[in-house]
Amino acid sequence: MLNARALAATALLPLAANAQNQVNMSTGISEAGAVITDLGVEIYDLHMLIFWICVVIGVGVFGVMLYSIYAHRKSRGVEPSQFHEHTGVEIAWTVVPFFILIGMAVPATSTLLEVYDNDDAEMSILVTGYQWKWKYEYLDADGENVAFFSNLATSQEQIYNTDTKGENYLLEVDEPLVIPVDTKVRFLITANDVIHSWWVPEIAVKRDAIPGFINEAWSRVLAEGVYRGQCTELCGSYHGFMPVVVHVVSQGEFDDWMAAKKGSAAADAALAATELSVDELMVRGEDVYNASCLACHGANGEGGLGNAIAGSAIAMGGLDSHLNVVVNGVAGTAMQAFGAQLSDVDVAAVTTYQRNAFGNNTGDVVQASDVVSYKEG
Amino acid sequence: MGDHHHGPAKGLSRWLYTTNHKDIGTMYLWFSFAMFLLGGAFAMVIRAELFQPGMQLVEPGFFNQMTTLHGLVMVFGAIMPSFVGLANWLIPMMIGAPDMALPRMNNWSFWILPPAFLMLASTLLMEGGAPAFGWTFYAPLSTTYAPPSVTFFIFAIHILGVSSIMGSINIIATVMNMRAPGMTYMKMPLFVWTWLITAFLLVAVMPVLAGAVTMMLMDIHFGTSFFSAAGGGDPVLFQHIFWFFGHPEVYIIILPAFGVISQIIPAFSRKPLFGYASMVYATAGIAILSFVVWAHHMYTVGMPVAGELFFMYATMLIAVPTGVKVFNWVTTMWRGAMTFETPMLFSIGFLVLFTIGGFTGLMLSIAPADFQYHDTYFVVAHFHYVMVAGAVFSMTAAIYFWLPKWTGRMYNETMGKVHFWVSFIGFNVTFFPQHFVGLAGMPRRIPDYALQFADFNMMSSIGAFIYGASQLLFLYNVIAAIVAGEKVSDEKVWDGAEGLEWTLPSPPPYHTFETPPKIEEQPAH
């Protein structure tokens, strides 16, 4: 029998979720009335200018057509005229649109030049698209780069309709990009596998992330807040599930966040030197699994786009071959080399988890030191 | 050379061996309609999944297979062959020729199509599934990361390309060599003109597409790196090559539609087409411009600013000849004596909705604004306004317009009008809200979406089901007309229809214009 309550809940969702049905482009102005980015406002104004020019022309053309449909119909007994050319009119409606186009091209050109003005950035962030997540790396003058992955945070239960969908359904991540307000940030955008595209509508940045090439884009966000976007270039099965979330905070908050980030990287390194208990590894491993493996291997290791992990020969066989798959990936398939993406602790935790969850029960415990020694060969 | 006056052979061999332009045209039309229903079925799966947020019916990977096959089948299986079918039926009758110039090649260019699509459709059953990289198949998603079925996809594209090139050569040869005495170029019906120009476009760009898929094949199986930066190639090169084909391709689809509309609006306005010569020049202008605008599909790939500016200005220029066409059609209606039979309704629907698609096209040409539109549902709305309300509406108008001539039987006018209104409303309910969700930030090709897009998506899905269902009414109406429609006694069928095809009996005999007709001295239109 169908779950009537769940069905009723999903049926009501569209009504309850978000009363405002936005019909136009982001204005570049926040709900509080503050300008988010000057460029966003400029692009919106340009969009509206072209829109209104089209509306005026449309009203003219359709007006004439509708009048003609009303007035020049056979049922009114009119005799058809037989004229079929008029050089003056034909020249006019070739030349006049040309000048209207020049009127559009002038503001479009100046806005475009601004979009391309990547000079004088105060900080640079390397944005790398992966199937299906984003990696952000803050390029530090001292070489102490801070890097992390940003994964979809919406649960599979919400996606598969067994849980109520949250307010930011599909537009929420485990770790957002954090940037300081009123700072010219340069985004260096690339990809690790296929082409992705990094887009945040409210701050008016969209640029393709192309493997092997680095694109530039920039933004100076003037209003603090949370801005959400998505990948906009088809990048495989879970293209719809790799959102972008940007937190724009004050310079002070940003500095604190950055310090904490550097601190936790140090803590992770320290953790790698200690022995963790099975429970600790399993808890951590489940989180890593859900963020990095679940999309392809299924919530219960049953497989999907990727092979099944439950009962698999790799997860239940020799540890080295298991680590080989996790760390180095499988060439020619969607299985990525997670050795470069996850910390040694996380690789250890997720490997432990895969060897003991889903009924695999091998009883094996993998420590970060095992991963380090595996990597060192 | 044997007997010139035989009728059609009996049974299946008539269709397998036929070199008759009418038979081949009929096969093209039925084949494209079958593909239209298949591509439509894929669209129904897409809209059903998008009816509500959350994953309900299909998995994301299968959803991508549906969007990919929907696009491929509609572009290469439904729209293009349907216009080739129309060309086969009409061009010889319009220029006073007994048949196409190369009848055996004509048979071949049709008969390689069904196996190609059978192969493409069979990828759905293959290990790893059908192609799931979108109809634009950008590398490396379509090379390194593609399912194994991509090789079959490449082969299918090659066959379609061969078919299109053969069809185009045939049309060029027919129009250039087989016009009746006195049928000068500037007396040809506009449908013939638009197809002649389209055929040149096809011959120019289909080999480019063949090149693109061949490079993919080499990258996948023979270790080259055309599209892989790791081996010194460039994924963006793929996009340049694809769109060098792809932009002319969309005009290949729309130019014959312009031709159809230029035949129908004068007929029901009972008035010659306004600005015949400027229509020809505008068509040629659009065709030439189509070669220098391709990168407007690629504003966000990181081109140098000079490139962006060039492609923006060139793209904006297309508004000029396109505007001339719209103004000419409206002026053709002006002070005519109009009636509104189904073909005219679809033509007016075309005029209104294509113009809206043209406006959004102009908006999309503005590079800085396109950074916000690119790859969103705004683009999806735009190209469905020009592809569906443009090409498909005009094709529908053409079928209603010439069906009585082809079959000698009339369709049900009331049912035709119902079909128009249901289509028109269904189409707009489907695609108008997609402008809104696109501007509000919904990317295209996603199987699930954020909650603020829910209402408009539901509306869109309902519209799509209505539009889809209305095509079954069309199918019924056509079959009913062929089987039991009221007989048409008149040669003209429509009292305002002009042109050589309307001087033939309805239905026309199997072979027509075996002796060339006499072209009267009169102004062209």
Side-chain angles (χ1 to χ4, degrees):
Chain A
M1 204 185 96
L2 289 168
N3 182 334
R5 213 175 45 146
L7 267 183
T10 33
L12 285 174
L13 262 177
L15 303 173
N18 204 325
Q20 66 179 89
N21 283 306
Q22 189 186 332
V23 295
N24 202 350
M25 186 191 284
S26 165
T27 55
I29 305 216
S30 73
E31 274 172 44
V35 171
I36 300 171
T37 63
D38 290 329
L39 199 53
V41 173
E42 218 174 291
I43 289 176
Y44 174 78
D45 289 344
L46 181 63
H47 155 73
M48 290 312 286
L49 171 74
I50 313 290
F51 171 74
W52 283 116
I53 291 173
C54 289
V55 167
V56 170
I57 298 171
V59 165
V61 172
F62 295 150
V64 170
M65 196 182 83
L66 285 175
Y67 175 77
S68 181
I69 287 173
Y70 162 76
H72 309 137
R73 46 171 67 220
K74 197 183 175 204
S75 56
R76 288 166 59 96
V78 291
E79 273 302 308
S81 159
Q82 292 299 313
F83 72 87
H84 58 84
E85 51 196 1
H86 188 291
T87 312
V89 172
E90 289 177 69
I91 288 174
W93 67 38
T94 310
V95 173
V96 172
F98 186 77
F99 284 104
I100 297 175
L101 290 176
I102 291 176
M104 293 175 176
V106 171
T109 304
S110 83
T111 307
L112 187 69
L113 292 176
E114 249 175 279
V115 171
Y116 268 76
D117 177 15
N118 294 302
D119 295 344
D120 305 321
E122 292 156 79
M123 63 183 290
S124 297
I125 300 174
L126 179 63
V127 177
T128 311
Y130 284 73
Q131 282 183 322
W132 291 277
K133 59 200 154 197
W134 295 100
K135 182 187 180 188
Y136 300 117
E137 184 164 1
Y138 293 72
L139 304 181
D140 186 296
D142 309 326
E144 256 193 276
N145 291 356
V146 164
F148 57 88
F149 281 86
S150 183
N151 295 287
L152 176 71
T154 303
S155 70
Q156 293 291 303
E157 287 76 22
Q158 288 188 32
I159 293 171
Y160 285 91
N161 313 306
T162 51
D163 195 1
T164 314
K165 292 175 175 41
E167 187 192 353
N168 296 314
Y169 178 71
L170 295 187
L171 297 178
E172 53 199 347
V173 294
D174 53 357
E175 270 201 86
L177 178 71
V178 179
I179 57 171
V181 75
D182 199 10
T183 304
K184 184 162 181 178
V185 181
R186 185 171 64 139
F187 299 105
L188 299 166
I189 301 172
T190 185
N192 182 57
D193 34 48
V194 299
I195 299 176
H196 304 267
S197 187
W198 197 79
W199 183 33
V200 185
E202 284 166 295
I203 66 174
V205 174
K206 180 188 286 157
R207 199 66 96 254
D208 290 357
I210 296 161
F213 293 84
I214 296 178
N215 274 330
E216 278 184 300
W218 68 274
S219 187
R220 180 192 291 279
V221 186
L222 303 173
E224 291 178 26
V226 180
Y227 304 105
R228 296 170 198 278
Q230 282 177 272
C231 177
T232 43
E233 182 62 61
L234 178 63
C235 57
S237 290
Y238 296 91
H239 163 54
F241 303 92
M242 51 180 292
V244 177
V245 180
V246 182
H247 279 210
V248 179
V249 298
S250 69
Q251 186 67 45
E253 270 178 87
F254 177 77
D255 292 340
D256 292 348
W257 173 84
M258 186 54 95
K261 236 11 216 175
K262 287 182 173 169
S264 78
D268 264 11
L271 202 58
T274 60
E275 292 265 305
L276 294 178
S277 73
V278 182
D279 291 345
E280 283 173 312
L281 285 166
M282 288 295 282
V283 169
R284 195 179 179 101
E286 184 172 4
D287 288 344
V288 176
Y289 183 87
N290 289 345
S292 298
C293 318
L294 180 145
C296 300
H297 295 287
N300 300 307
E302 72 276 19
L305 194 67
N307 294 332
I309 289 176
S312 93
I314 291 169
M316 298 179 72
L319 179 60
D320 272 7
S321 58
H322 191 180
L323 278 175
N324 180 30
V325 171
V326 177
V327 171
N328 300 322
V330 180
T333 72
M335 180 64 198
Q336 301 165 11
F338 283 93
Q341 298 181 25
L342 301 174
S343 69
D344 294 337
V345 184
D346 285 342
V347 171
V350 79
T351 311
T352 307
Y353 180 73
Q354 291 178 0
R355 295 181 79 79
N356 294 288
F358 322 131
N360 284 355
N361 302 330
T362 58
D364 293 349
V365 176
V366 188
Q367 294 292 350
S369 54
D370 301 329
V371 177
V372 172
S373 59
Y374 172 79
K375 281 183 174 174
E376 286 167 356
Chain B
M1 292 297 281
D3 179 13
H4 280 276
H5 298 275
H6 61 79
K10 294 277 176 256
L12 191 64
S13 61
R14 164 177 177 183
W15 302 103
L16 274 177
Y17 303 145
T18 185
T19 53
N20 180 289
H21 73 101
K22 301 181 182 75
D23 282 354
I24 293 171
T26 303
M27 289 195 294
Y28 263 113
L29 290 171
W30 277 113
F31 174 75
S32 62
F33 195 81
M35 288 298 113
F36 182 57
L37 293 183
L38 179 68
F42 295 149
M44 295 300 107
V45 174
I46 294 168
R47 282 320 318 175
E49 178 54 56
L50 292 174
F51 188 71
Q52 282 193 330
M55 300 305 301
Q56 286 90 8
L57 300 172
V58 297
E59 286 301 309
F62 188 75
F63 182 89
N64 289 345
Q65 297 175 29
M66 289 290 104
T67 55
T68 305
L69 290 177
H70 166 70
L72 290 171
V73 167
M74 285 304 198
V75 168
F76 294 106
I79 298 178
M80 287 174 66
S82 71
F83 282 107
V84 180
L86 209 54
N88 259 295
W89 251 108
L90 294 174
I91 287 178
M93 296 194 336
M94 282 178 162
I95 62 172
D99 204 310
M100 298 294 280
L102 307 159
R104 286 180 198 279
M105 190 164 84
N106 205 11
N107 171 294
W108 192 227
S109 53
F110 171 76
W111 274 113
I112 61 176
L113 275 185
F117 277 93
L118 200 63
M119 184 157 64
L120 187 62
S122 72
T123 58
L124 273 170
L125 308 172
M126 288 179 192
E127 178 88 30
F133 31 65
W135 87 275
T136 51
F137 50 103
Y138 281 9
L141 190 62
S142 62
T143 52
T144 319
Y145 294 81
S149 61
V150 67
T151 308
F152 292 88
F153 155 84
I154 290 171
F155 193 33
I157 293 285
H158 270 306
I159 300 176
L160 304 182
V162 170
S163 163
S164 289
I165 291 171
M166 291 197 299
S168 305
I169 290 172
N170 209 346
I171 285 167
I172 294 171
T174 307
V175 173
M176 290 190 143
N177 297 306
M178 302 193 50
R179 281 169 289 121
M183 174 66 77
T184 59
Y185 279 109
M186 290 312 269
K187 276 187 186 166
M188 293 195 308
L190 215 72
F191 177 75
V192 181
W193 253 118
T194 54
W195 240 119
L196 178 64
I197 292 168
T198 301
F200 276 107
L201 283 182
L202 272 165
V203 170
V205 300
M206 288 314 282
V208 178
L209 177 68
V213 294
T214 306
M215 288 187 226
M216 281 170 61
L217 189 77
M218 300 297 280
D219 272 11
I220 294 167
H221 293 295
F222 302 105
T224 58
S225 298
F226 288 108
F227 306 132
S228 162
D234 182 351
V236 179
L237 172 67
F238 175 86
Q239 297 183 27
H240 282 293
I241 298 172
F242 178 83
W243 286 115
F244 188 82
F245 147 79
H247 201 79
E249 166 67 19
V250 302
Y251 293 136
I252 286 164
I253 287 172
I254 205 66
L255 292 183
F258 289 167
V260 166
I261 299 302
S262 304
Q263 303 299 130
I264 295 178
I265 286 183
F268 293 96
S269 303
R270 292 164 183 78
K271 186 164 160 280
L273 180 69
F274 184 84
Y276 171 89
S278 69
M279 283 300 219
V280 173
Y281 301 141
T283 309
I286 292 172
I288 290 163
L289 280 175
S290 79
F291 286 107
V292 292
V293 297
W294 75 88
H296 68 215
H297 298 269
M298 303 164 54
Y299 282 144
T300 62
V301 300
M303 264 187 293
V305 70
E308 299 260 326
L309 287 173
F310 171 79
F311 285 107
M312 175 168 82
Y313 299 149
T315 305
M316 292 171 79
L317 271 184
I318 291 180
V320 174
T322 314
V324 165
K325 289 196 156 280
V326 170
F327 299 141
N328 280 346
W329 288 321
V330 172
T331 313
T332 304
M333 292 161 72
W334 187 257
R335 288 182 42 214
M338 279 183 273
T339 51
F340 302 92
E341 289 87 345
T342 310
M344 183 63 164
L345 288 178
F346 272 100
S347 298
I348 293 173
F350 164 96
L351 193 46
V352 173
L353 301 178
F354 174 79
T355 304
I356 293 174
F359 287 141
T360 52
L362 183 58
M363 294 171 78
L364 284 157
S365 75
I366 307 293
D370 183 70
F371 280 96
Q372 295 283 46
Y373 308 135
H374 179 75
D375 261 347
T376 68
Y377 260 86
F378 189 76
V379 177
V380 176
H382 159 73
F383 70 70
H384 282 94
Y385 267 79
V386 287
M387 292 287 106
V388 180
V392 178
F393 269 37
S394 83
M395 192 63 219
T396 314
I399 299 289
Y400 282 117
F401 188 56
W402 280 292
L403 187 73
K405 167 55 64 190
W406 296 335
T407 63
R409 290 173 183 272
M410 197 61 181
Y411 62 86
N412 182 320
E413 185 62 54
T414 311
M415 205 188 292
K417 283 182 171 150
V418 170
H419 172 215
F420 167 73
W421 285 109
V422 177
S423 283
F424 185 82
I425 292 166
F427 172 84
N428 283 292
V429 172
T430 309
F431 293 108
F432 208 77
Q434 294 186 359
H435 292 115
F436 300 148
V437 288
L439 289 173
M442 180 168 162
R444 63 192 282 206
R445 293 167 166 168
I446 57 174
D448 193 8
Y449 48 82
L451 301 181
Q452 67 262 35
F453 307 130
D455 292 357
F456 286 133
N457 269 287
M458 189 180 282
M459 208 184 281
S460 220
S461 292
I462 293 169
F465 301 145
I466 294 171
Y467 181 77
S470 75
Q471 303 316 310
L472 300 175
L473 194 65
F474 180 39
L475 178 64
Y476 175 81
N477 202 351
V478 169
I479 292 175
I482 294 170
V483 174
E486 197 185 319
K487 285 225 162 74
V488 178
S489 50
D490 222 9
E491 279 144 15
K492 266 199 131 182
V493 185
W494 314 105
D495 60 3
E498 298 288 343
L500 286 177
E501 78 271 30
W502 304 107
T503 63
L504 294 166
S506 314
Y510 197 56
H511 294 289
T512 44
F513 294 132
E514 284 164 294
T515 40
K518 236 179 126 92
I519 313 297
E520 294 155 40
E521 285 300 320
Q522 60 175 16
H525 26 80

